[in-house]
Amino acid sequence: MSHEFQADKGWRVWWKLTRPHTLTASFAPVFLGTMIALYEANIDWLLFIAMLLACLLIQAATNMFNEYYDFVRGLDSEESVGIGGAIVRNGVKPKTVMQLALLLYVIAAILGIYICYESSWLLLIVGAISMAVGYFYTGGPYPISSTPFGELFSGLFMGMLIVLIAVYIQVGSVPLFAVLLSVPSALLVAAIMLSNNIRDLVEDTIGGRKTMAILVGRKTAITILASYFVLSYLWIKGLVVLQIITPWSLLVLLSLKKPIHAIKLFKQTENPVKVAPAMKDTALTNTIFVFLLGLGLLIGYYL
C-alpha cells in the first residue's frame, strides 16, 4: 500500500474521498428495512450493524471508483464540483485511491460472509452482483454512470435492494409490503443521481457521456426529478389510505421542505457551484424521508 496513507496528508482528504454526503443513502434503507422486519421477526442487531457497515463501505468504495475513473478519463479537474478531489487537488496517486477502494470491498465481503452465514448463502450472489454494479457504475469500458440507465441502477441497487436485503436477513423472506415500502427509497436514491447529472450536464456533455439529463435536456430532467419527489410522497399516502401501513408513516411529510427548495434552486440557476445546496437538499430528502418512514413504522409497531 502506498506511503500516502500517512497522517500528514490529513484525515480530511481521505474523509472527503468517501463523499460523506452520499453515505446516508446507505444508512437510511438499512434502517428502513430493519423497521419493516420488526413486524415479522425479532431483530438481530449484530446483523443490522454488519449490514449497515457493509453498505457504507460499498458506497464509499463506489465513490472512490468514481473518483479514479473520472480522473483517468479526464473528466475531473481542480475546478470540478461534487468530487472528493483527493487526486486532482491533493496529489494522491490514482493507484492509491483504487487500492483503498478495493480494500473497502474486501472488508465489505468479509462482513457479507458473516451475514450469509447467519442468514442465507444465496445472498452471496446478490452481494456479488451489487458489488459488481458498484464497480461498473463508473469502471470498465462502458460505465453505467455514462448511460441513461444510471438512475435506474442506483435506485434499484442502492435504494430498493438494500431495503429488501435488510428485511430478508432478519425475516428469511421478503413480504409484499416490504417491496411496496422500498419503492420510495429507490426513487429518492435515483433522484440523488439525477440531481448530480443535472448539475454536471455541461461538463458531462463535453466528456462524451450520454446521461438521461443530457438526452432529455435540463428542463425535462428537472421535471423528472420533481416527479420522483411527488411520487414518493403520494406512494406513502396511498399505502396509508389503503391501510397497508400505519398512519405514522405520514411523518415523511415533515421532509417536504427539502425537495421543494431543491427544485426551486435548480430552476433558478444552472451554475454548478450555486446549485450545490440543491444537491444537498436532494440527498437530505432521501435520508430524512426514509428515516422518518422507518421511524413511523417503529412508532406504529409499539402503538
Side-chain angles (χ1 to χ4, degrees):
M1 197 65 72
S2 169
H3 65 85
E4 289 177 90
F5 288 104
Q6 296 177 6
D8 59 6
K9 278 289 182 184
W11 63 268
R12 290 181 181 84
V13 173
W14 306 107
W15 177 239
K16 288 180 180 178
L17 183 59
T18 67
R19 303 185 188 181
H21 64 282
T22 68
L23 298 182
T24 54
S26 296
F27 162 77
V30 174
F31 174 71
L32 173 59
T34 305
M35 293 305 98
I36 294 171
L38 189 63
Y39 285 76
E40 299 288 331
N42 293 322
I43 302 301
D44 184 326
W45 293 106
L46 282 179
L47 271 179
F48 166 75
I49 293 172
M51 174 79 180
L52 179 60
L53 288 176
C55 289
L56 289 172
L57 290 171
I58 291 173
Q59 178 66 54
T62 299
N63 292 336
M64 292 175 192
F65 290 137
N66 191 315
E67 191 100 357
Y68 173 84
Y69 282 106
D70 280 359
F71 172 78
V72 169
R73 295 189 176 98
L75 297 173
D76 283 349
S77 66
E78 288 189 39
E79 290 73 36
S80 297
V81 296
I83 64 171
I87 299 174
V88 296
R89 296 183 190 134
N90 298 291
V92 176
K93 292 180 180 179
K95 179 181 178 181
T96 303
V97 173
M98 175 59 79
Q99 288 175 330
L100 182 56
L102 292 174
L103 174 62
L104 296 185
Y105 256 27
V106 169
I107 298 174
I110 294 172
L111 288 170
I113 291 173
Y114 165 73
I115 293 171
C116 291
Y117 177 77
E118 293 293 331
S119 54
S120 170
W121 291 103
L122 289 175
L123 289 178
L124 272 180
I125 300 174
V126 178
I129 293 174
S130 298
M131 293 175 78
V133 169
Y135 174 80
F136 287 109
Y137 190 78
T138 50
Y142 304 105
I144 298 169
S145 63
S146 296
T147 73
F149 306 109
E151 289 80 7
L152 175 64
F153 275 84
S154 59
L156 288 178
F157 283 89
M158 295 306 297
M160 177 175 284
L161 189 61
I162 291 180
V163 173
L164 299 183
I165 292 176
V167 174
Y168 183 83
I169 64 175
Q170 301 288 348
V171 180
S173 62
V174 179
L176 176 59
F177 84 100
V179 177
L180 295 175
L181 282 169
S182 70
V183 171
S185 178
L187 289 171
L188 294 176
V189 169
I192 295 175
M193 300 303 112
L194 179 55
S195 65
N196 181 78
N197 289 335
I198 293 173
R199 180 199 62 192
D200 296 339
L201 197 149
V202 174
E203 195 172 87
D204 285 348
T205 301
I206 296 172
R209 287 181 167 179
K210 300 294 182 183
T211 64
M212 180 171 65
I214 292 174
L215 293 182
V216 303
R218 193 175 193 278
K219 185 177 180 180
T220 302
I222 294 173
T223 300
I224 294 173
L225 178 64
S227 72
Y228 287 167
F229 292 140
V230 171
L231 182 56
S232 295
Y233 288 97
L234 290 180
W235 189 269
I236 295 303
K237 184 176 180 180
L239 293 180
V240 170
V241 170
L242 293 173
Q243 299 184 338
I244 295 175
I245 56 175
T246 171
W248 283 102
S249 300
L250 293 177
L251 282 174
V252 298
L253 295 175
L254 295 176
S255 64
L256 260 174
K257 183 179 178 180
K258 294 298 182 183
I260 291 174
H261 180 260
I263 295 300
K264 284 183 177 179
L265 189 53
F266 272 123
K267 289 182 176 180
Q268 287 172 0
T269 179
E270 297 183 15
N271 186 299
V273 176
K274 291 183 178 180
V275 299
M279 294 285 302
K280 181 179 179 180
D281 282 340
T282 302
L284 284 174
T285 299
N286 170 69
T287 302
I288 299 172
F289 181 107
V290 177
F291 175 76
L292 288 175
L293 179 54
L295 182 61
L297 293 174
L298 178 63
I299 295 173
Y301 177 79
Y302 285 106
L303 296 183

